[in-house]
Amino acid sequence: MEILLLIVAAATWALMSVLVKKLSGNYSTLQITIMSAFVAIICLTPIVIVRRQVLMRIDFTSPLIISCLFCIGVVSTALAFIMWNKGLQLTSASISGLFYVIQPIVGTLLGWLLLQEQLTWGFLLGTVLIIGSVWLVTRFDV
């Protein structure tokens, strides 16, 4: 089931990248990001309504919860999407998709830097394979 969900996530991310590229000629990066947020709100609201019991247990007045929501909402989501959408305006969707596969490397390095997580030989091997594949595609236009 997890693999199916990962495939669906990759397909919808690719679809979003193509749609953002098509819209970038008519709308600004911020407008596209706001439209994306509204679509997400519409799609996720039914799930939130069904799972509202979970939300009722959270103290949204806690400074820790407020700061976490701010960091996730503004820095990790809004700012990242604005930068991604701007990148899509400046390059083709096929090239920008290559940068998507670099996210695990960045995430692991941030975990090592900020959370003192251990780097393994598997990470090194995966990094070499990912960077090698990106290099091959950009170098030889595979």
Side-chain angles (χ1 to χ4, degrees):
M1 181 63 166
E2 293 86 11
I3 293 174
L4 177 64
L5 292 174
L6 288 171
I7 291 169
V8 169
T12 55
W13 186 266
L15 175 64
M16 186 205 68
S17 296
V18 171
L19 292 175
V20 167
K21 183 65 178 175
K22 288 184 79 118
L23 291 173
S24 66
N26 300 328
Y27 299 98
S28 74
T29 304
L30 184 59
Q31 289 173 314
I32 293 171
T33 304
I34 290 170
M35 286 187 274
S36 300
F38 278 123
V39 169
I41 289 170
I42 291 167
C43 292
L44 293 175
T45 297
I47 296 168
V48 171
I49 290 171
V50 169
R51 303 279 310 208
R52 69 181 174 273
Q53 301 290 19
V54 174
L55 292 176
M56 296 178 87
R57 289 183 269 168
I58 299 172
D59 178 16
F60 287 103
T61 61
S62 163
L64 178 63
I65 298 293
I66 292 170
S67 62
C68 288
L69 287 173
F70 176 81
C71 182
I72 290 171
V74 174
V75 177
S76 298
T77 303
L79 187 60
F81 267 106
I82 288 171
M83 291 189 301
W84 180 262
N85 292 340
K86 185 62 177 177
L88 278 173
Q89 283 183 336
L90 300 175
T91 187
S92 69
S94 60
I95 294 296
S96 67
L98 295 173
F99 291 98
Y100 184 71
V101 300
I102 295 175
Q103 287 182 357
I105 298 170
V106 174
T108 303
L109 289 175
L110 287 173
W112 169 74
L113 181 67
L114 301 174
L115 304 174
Q116 288 77 46
E117 292 184 359
Q118 297 296 315
L119 298 180
T120 65
W121 286 106
F123 166 74
L124 181 61
L125 176 63
T127 299
V128 168
L129 291 172
I130 289 170
I131 291 175
S133 65
V134 170
W135 178 78
L136 280 172
V137 169
T138 56
R139 175 79 166 99
F140 298 107
D141 197 28
V142 175

